[in-house]
C-alpha cells in the first residue's frame, strides 16, 4: 500500500529548497507526495521565524492538525526549520502540541530519516535540536518541485548580525559549499534540462570568504561556462560586499540575469547604523551606480523595513526618497517585527504598530506607482520569457523575463520549460500580457 507525505513550507527560498530535500528524504523512505494533509501518513511543517506573523502562521496550522491526529493516530507529524531552532521554542512546541511526533532543528535535517525510523518504534516524541557545528549539508538528493528553475545552495548561515534579524541565531555561522560541488551540481541540473539555476545564500557576495576557494564572481563565471542555454540568478546580495568585479561579470556573461536583489532596509544613515548594515545611503547608491555603469538596463529589487526602533518621520521620508532615486523594479516591504534575542529587541524607541502601518501603506503606494510605470514601458517590446506554467484562472501560460517581470500569453503545452519571445501588448499593474511571436 502506498504511503503519502505532505509538506507545508514557510519563509524564504532557502526553506523552499530545504523542503525539496525533505521530500527527497521521504521519497527515499517510500513515501509519495499528496495534496492534502488529511491523506498523508507523514506531515512536515518546515517553519520560519523571520517575523512574528510567520511564527503565528505555523503555530496556527500545527494547531489545526490536532483533530486529524486524534482520528489518524499512526500519522506522523514533524516540525522542523528556523522556528524550532530558537532557544526554548522546541519545548514550547512540545508542550503546546504534545501530539507532534518529531521536532528537529535546522542543523539536523540530515538525520530526519533516522528520526522517522526511531519514531516508528516508540511512543515518545523525538526532539532533537543540534547546535551549529559548522557543517555543510551535502549528499541529500532533493526532489525538485520548481522546474524549470532549480535552487542551488552555495552558502549556509550568516555572520552579519543585522540587529533586527534572527537568521544568524537560527541558521548559524556562514559556511560555503566547495565550488567543485556547486559546479558539479549545476552541470547535473543543466544536463537534466533545468533552464534556470538560482544560487542561494543569505549573503552570496561573501561566498568562500576566508577560505582558499574561488570568489563569488569567479564561481559565477565557471557556472556560466557550462554548455547549454540556461539562466543564472542569485540571492541575496549584501550591499556591503557587492563589488565592481561582480557588476562586471554580470554585465559580461549573457547567462547571468540582469537583475540584482540588493536589500537596502532603510534610507536613513542613522537607522542603517542602528541596524548594523555597515553602509551609508551614499555608499549604497554608489553600488547601484557601478552596477548600472556596466549594465545600464539592470533591474534592481530590494527589501525595506519600516518602523525600526527610533525611526522618525524624517528617517522614513528619507527611505521614500531613496526608493524614488534608486528606481527599483520591485521592493519587498516589511513592518519591523521584534525578535527575541536580537540586539534591536532591547532598543528604546520601539514604534507603535499604527505608526508603522501608516508608513508601510505610504511606502507601498510609492513602490507600486514606480512598478506600474516601469511595466508600461514594456508595451510594444519583445521580451524573452522562460515559460514556467499555465494559469488555470486566466487560461494563459506565464513566465518571467530575465529581470523577473511576469508575463502572460496564450501558448501550447510544449512551451512549458522553454524560452519564448513574447511581444507585450498590455501592462496591468505588475503583470504583462502579450503574444508569442516565435511559435
Ligand atoms: N539575507 C538577506 C535577507 C534575509 S531575510 C539579506 O541580508 O538581505 C529577508 C528580509 O526580511 C530582510 O531583507 C529584511 O528586510 C526582512 N527582515 C528580517 N528580519 C526582520 C524583522 N525582524 N522584521 C521585519 N523584517 C525583517
Ligand atoms: Fe539577516 Fe542581515 Fe544576515 Fe540578511 S545579512 S540574514 S538580514 S543578519
Ligand atoms: Fe528563511 Fe525564515 Fe529561516 S526567512 S532563513 S526560513 S527564518
Amino acid at each position: 500500500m502506498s504511503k503519502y507525505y505532505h509538506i507545508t513550507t514557510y519563509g524564504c527560498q532557502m526553506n523552499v529548497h530545504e523542503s525539496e530535500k525533505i521530500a527527497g528524504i521521504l521519497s527515499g523512505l517510500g513515501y509519495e507526495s499528496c495534496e492534502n494533509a488529511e491523506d498523508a501518513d507523514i506531515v512536515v511543517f518546515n517553519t520560519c521565524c523571520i517575523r512574528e506573523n510567520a511564527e503565528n502562521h505555523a503555530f496556527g496550522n500545527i494547531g489545526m492538525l490536532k483533530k486529524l491526529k486524534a482520528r489518524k493516530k499512526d500519522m506522523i507529524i514533524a516540525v522542523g526549520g528556523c522556528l524550532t531552532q530558537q532557544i526554548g521554542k522546541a519545548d514550547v512546541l512540545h508542550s503546546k502540541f504534545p501530539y507532534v511526533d518529531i521536532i528537529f532543528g535546522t542543523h539536523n535535517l540530515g538525520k530526519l530519516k533516522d528520526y522517522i525510523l526511531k519514531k516508528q518504534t516508540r511512543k515518545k516524541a523525538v526532539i532533537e535540536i543540534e547546535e551549529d557545528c559548522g557543517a555543510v549539508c551535502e549528499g541529500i538528493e532533493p526532489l525538485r518541485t520548481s522546474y524549470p528553475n532549480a535552487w542551488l545552495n552555495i552558502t549556509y548561515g550568516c555572520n552579519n548580525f543585522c540587529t533586527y534579524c534572527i537568521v544568524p541565531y537560527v541558521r548559524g555561522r556562514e559556511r560555503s559549499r566547495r565550488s567543485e560541488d556547486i559546479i558539479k551540481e549545476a552541470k547535473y541540473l543543466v544536463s537534466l534540462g533545468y533552464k534556470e539555476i538560482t544560487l542561494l545564500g543569505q549573503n552570496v557576495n561573501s561566498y568562500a570568504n576566508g577560505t582558499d576557494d574561488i570568489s563569488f564572481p569567479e564561481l559565477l563565471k565557471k557556472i556560466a561556462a557550462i554548455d547549454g542555454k540556461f539562466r543564472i540568478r542569485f540571492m541575496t546580495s549584501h550591499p556591503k560586499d557587492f563589488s565592481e568585479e561582480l557588476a562586471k561579470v554580470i554585465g559580461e556573461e549573457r547567462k547571468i540575469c540582469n537583475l540584482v536583489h540588493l536589500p537596502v532596509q532603510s534610507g536613513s544613515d542613522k537607522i542603517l547604523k542602528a541596524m548594523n548594515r555597515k553602509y551609508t545611503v551614499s555608499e549604497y547608491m554608489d553600488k547601484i551606480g557601478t552596477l548600472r555603469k556596466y549594465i545600464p538596463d539592470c533591474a534592481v529589487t530590494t527589501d525595506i523595513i519600516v518602523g525600526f526602533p527610533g525611526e522618525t518621520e524624517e528617517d522614513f521620508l528619507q527611505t521614500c526618497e531613496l526608493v524614488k532615486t534608486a528606481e527599483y523594479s520591485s521592493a519587498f516591504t516589511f513592518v519591523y517585527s521584534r525578535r527575541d534575542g536580537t540586539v534591536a529587541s532591547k532598543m528604546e524607541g520601539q514604534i507603535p504598530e499604527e505608526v508603522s502601518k501608516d508608513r508601510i501603506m505610504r511606502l507601498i503606494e510609492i513602490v507600486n506607482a514606480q512598478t506600474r510605470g516601469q511595466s508600461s514601458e514594456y508595451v510594444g517590446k519583445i521580451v524573452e520569457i522562460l515559460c514556467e506554467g499555465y494559469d488555470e484562472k486566466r487560461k494563459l501560460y506565464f513566465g518571467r523575463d530575465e529581470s523577473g517581470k511576469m508575463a502572460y500569453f496564450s501558448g501550447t503545452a510544449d512551451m512549458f520549460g522553454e524560452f519564448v519571445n513574447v511581444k507585450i501588448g498590455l501592462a496591468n499593474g505588475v503583470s504583462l500580457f502579450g503574444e508569442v511571436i516565435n511559435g
Side-chain angles (χ1 to χ4, degrees), residues 8-11 15 45-49 54 58-59 62 79-85 93 106 171:
T8 306
T9 309
Y10 308 86
N15 248 22
F45 291 95
N46 191 12
T47 60
C48 170
C49 57
F59 270 92
I62 299 166
V79 181
C82 294
L83 172 59
T84 65
Q85 193 71 35
L93 280 165
T106 58
R171 288 279 170 179

Side-chain angles (χ1 to χ4, degrees), residues 10 16 56 68 81 168 170 201 207 215 222 264 305 368 370 421:
Y10 308 86
V16 170
N56 292 344
L68 182 64
V170 294
Y207 171 76
S215 68
K222 293 214 170 194
V264 67
I305 296 176
N368 284 352
Q370 220 172 41
N421 290 325

